[in-house]
Amino acid sequence: MTGQSSDVMGNRPRRRDGCTECRRKKVKCDLRRPVCTRCTRYPRGCVYDLRVVSQAPSARQNQIAVDPSRGSTGLNRQSGVKHTYQPSDNLSPWLSSRDSRFYMHIFSTETASRLFPAAPETFLRSMISAALDTPHLLYALLAASCSHHSRLVRDTSPGSSTACLKFTNQAISHLNLALSNTQDVLRPETITTAMVLCTNDVCNGNMQTWRTHLFGVLQLLNTFLGTCSSYIDDPYVQCLMKWFTTMDIMAGLSAHRSSCIHDPTSGPLYQLPYTNTEQVDGICGYSLELVDSRAVTGTELLQSIMREAVALETEIHLLIGKTGADTTSESTGDCIPELTHAHFAFVYAALLHLRRRVQMLPKDHIDVRKAVQSALEAVLRIPPSSPTNIIILWPIFSIGCESDLPGERAIIQDRMANMERIGMGNFTRARRLLKTYWESDSCLPWSVYFAQIGLDLVLF
């Protein structure tokens, strides 16, 4: 019978890549991720075979670079090293539970590409591979995945909150153990764990804890770079530095705490050995020259006098003709060509920031309106549902706050709603605060308004 059935089907083997629930019921699975159509009502039962698993111990050991004078300093991420993920029974010992395997799968297939939609794929692969041997990083990724999945499928059950809290507590517990060991402090994985926790706080709206984690990251980065300066050329470490600096800059621009916790002219990003600043960076979403010009640093802008503001305006305008898409690195998707438009959105949002928060021009001033329209045109060149929109929350929010036109506001609302639907909790909070600002009909710059009523947000 088996042979006859196989002949009738044209000798095609039965597909075994459906979710576990559809295979159990022996029905066809449409392979929709993260939850197939048949499992929509019961999303936690929809699990695909975990394909992100630990490599053989000998293979993983070859990826660790050890300096005898310092101990382990993390993964050896030399060019050409590939991290392969294959089905295997050799799982990480910390992926023993069904929940942990499920959320690790979600992180590798959904969450990672949402947190870093244009980052080099090798950066994400290295992070996941390192987590399989690093419990605090693994649990931090599981916490981020659990939170993202809950928002994605709109699961507000106590069980979901408990699972996220459990993973977060395990990450913090193991991180505290790592911080008590000098060798573990000098590992990029430890910095990554703190960054993941910090980013998850922002996405969850935990505004009381994210800044504490961010300050901890700065201390870890400074310690690591001061002791392991030779790793400044490591692409993974460079991504970590840009990840931290971008979040810190956005924090400085976003809320009534208007200063960064590090000095952009001498902090981690300043040490990056980049040479082609015309390229749009996949982590930041804009050319790093925008940081060089101090166009996006809240501290510098708020302390500038009008003469310095004019000089900054000139520098910002020069960046418009110098941008170009980064085609030198792998990306997680097809959004690299869209990074040019993302960069333009940041450039014009920086001009808008200059007009409203430094020069204190009113919303209806011609220069403010030009900046709004130019930034909006850049946003409109990015498809409405593109993951690239995730990167440009600050420009999108700034446009929305500085526009009184119903048509422009509708565009911004739609963009933010699209990002909410893919589980981006930071867009949910930003959209809620945008509505609050609109309803207030305030003439104050949004940063001043939110400071007065005591609301805080981070547009990362």
Side-chain angles (χ1 to χ4, degrees):
M1 287 296 292
T2 304
Q4 293 174 356
S5 176
S6 181
D7 289 338
V8 172
M9 296 299 293
N11 291 321
R12 289 181 298 175
R14 179 182 297 176
R15 294 187 63 174
R16 299 184 182 277
D17 53 354
C19 74
T20 54
E21 189 66 9
C22 287
R23 283 187 291 161
R24 183 181 68 83
K25 294 179 179 179
K26 298 182 179 180
V27 295
K28 184 178 180 180
C29 180
D30 62 9
L31 305 179
R32 183 179 176 183
R33 308 294 177 97
V35 180
C36 76
T37 302
R38 290 184 181 273
C39 295
T40 302
R41 292 184 61 189
Y42 306 100
R44 289 179 63 82
C46 187
V47 181
Y48 294 88
D49 283 339
L50 182 69
R51 296 183 180 274
V52 180
V53 298
S54 181
Q55 298 173 357
S58 59
R60 292 198 307 270
Q61 190 173 7
N62 289 336
Q63 296 172 10
I64 304 297
V66 178
D67 185 329
S69 64
R70 304 189 192 111
S72 174
T73 54
L75 294 179
N76 179 3
R77 305 175 185 82
Q78 297 174 354
S79 60
V81 175
K82 297 294 183 181
H83 299 271
T84 57
Y85 305 127
Q86 300 175 359
S88 169
D89 294 330
N90 184 27
L91 292 174
S92 167
W94 298 285
L95 286 175
S96 57
S97 70
R98 183 174 181 270
D99 271 358
S100 64
R101 292 192 295 272
F102 172 75
Y103 287 119
M104 193 62 200
H105 175 81
I106 293 297
F107 184 86
S108 64
T109 58
E110 292 286 337
T111 306
S113 61
R114 299 310 183 191
L115 293 179
F116 307 97
E121 188 177 346
T122 51
F123 171 63
L124 301 183
R125 289 204 305 264
S126 295
M127 184 192 304
I128 294 171
S129 181
L132 298 176
D133 287 318
T134 313
H136 52 77
L137 177 54
L138 178 63
Y139 287 126
L141 299 187
L142 294 178
S145 172
C146 185
S147 297
H148 177 236
H149 185 259
S150 297
R151 294 189 297 266
L152 194 63
V153 301
R154 292 176 172 79
D155 182 2
T156 58
S157 65
S160 177
S161 300
T162 301
C164 181
L165 184 60
K166 178 189 70 174
F167 290 135
T168 301
N169 289 340
Q170 288 173 321
I172 293 174
S173 176
H174 283 277
L175 180 60
N176 287 334
L177 289 175
L179 294 177
S180 65
N181 185 312
T182 304
Q183 292 185 358
D184 286 338
V185 170
L186 300 178
R187 294 183 64 196
E189 291 82 2
T190 305
I191 303 170
T192 307
T193 299
M195 279 305 309
V196 172
L197 291 172
C198 184
T199 304
N200 201 32
D201 284 335
V202 172
C203 291
N204 286 332
N206 299 331
M207 311 312 294
Q208 300 301 317
T209 57
W210 72 267
R211 197 171 178 86
T212 300
H213 286 149
L214 195 64
F215 186 74
V217 174
L218 176 61
Q219 292 179 307
L220 289 171
L221 264 177
N222 286 335
T223 300
F224 176 79
L225 295 175
T227 309
C228 310
S229 57
S230 61
Y231 282 83
I232 192 69
D233 293 322
D234 187 323
Y236 183 90
V237 173
Q238 291 180 13
C239 285
L240 283 181
M241 294 161 65
K242 289 182 285 189
W243 180 6
F244 161 77
T245 307
T246 302
M247 176 171 282
D248 188 36
I249 288 173
M250 290 300 106
L253 287 168
S254 299
H256 59 270
R257 296 186 183 93
S258 58
S259 61
C260 303
I261 67 172
H262 83 297
D263 181 357
T265 62
S266 62
L269 190 61
Y270 183 78
Q271 301 180 45
L272 280 175
Y274 56 84
T275 55
N276 191 345
T277 54
E278 294 185 1
Q279 292 180 343
V280 179
D281 184 77
I283 298 292
C284 300
Y286 45 78
S287 168
L288 297 180
E289 281 189 312
L290 194 56
V291 177
D292 273 356
S293 72
R294 303 189 308 278
V296 296
T297 55
T299 303
E300 295 291 338
L301 283 179
L302 293 176
Q303 294 176 349
S304 293
I305 60 175
M306 297 308 294
R307 179 172 55 83
E308 293 173 325
V310 172
L312 278 175
E313 180 180 349
T314 301
E315 292 182 36
I316 295 170
H317 277 292
L318 288 174
L319 293 177
I320 296 173
K322 288 189 176 182
T323 184
D326 183 357
T327 58
T328 62
S329 62
E330 291 181 272
S331 70
T332 57
D334 299 324
C335 54
I336 284 295
E338 298 166 10
L339 284 180
T340 296
H341 305 309
H343 171 74
F344 286 151
F346 272 103
V347 169
Y348 289 116
L351 280 173
L352 183 57
H353 179 94
L354 185 70
R355 307 294 190 211
R356 289 285 282 150
R357 292 172 72 167
V358 178
Q359 297 173 332
M360 302 301 290
L361 299 178
K363 283 184 181 180
D364 59 357
H365 191 281
I366 186 172
D367 289 339
V368 173
R369 288 300 307 155
K370 283 182 179 179
V372 168
Q373 291 168 357
S374 297
L376 186 60
E377 287 175 6
V379 171
L380 287 173
R381 290 190 176 95
I382 300 172
S385 297
S386 168
T388 303
N389 289 283
I390 296 171
I391 299 175
I392 58 172
L393 175 55
W394 180 63
I396 289 175
F397 186 84
S398 298
I399 296 168
C401 284
E402 306 302 353
S403 175
D404 291 330
L405 299 182
E408 292 178 348
R409 288 185 172 186
I411 292 171
I412 297 304
Q413 280 277 47
D414 289 343
R415 289 296 170 115
M416 298 179 84
N418 286 339
M419 297 303 102
E420 280 189 74
R421 282 191 283 271
I422 60 174
M424 302 310 297
N426 46 347
F427 276 82
T428 301
R429 178 174 174 81
R431 191 178 180 209
R432 188 183 305 123
L433 292 182
L434 183 61
K435 183 179 180 182
T436 299
Y437 183 67
W438 285 345
E439 291 175 349
S440 73
D441 202 27
S442 175
C443 294
L444 295 172
W446 58 267
S447 56
V448 177
Y449 172 77
F450 288 134
Q452 286 188 353
I453 64 176
L455 288 178
D456 201 358
L457 75 159
V458 179
L459 299 174
F460 176 82

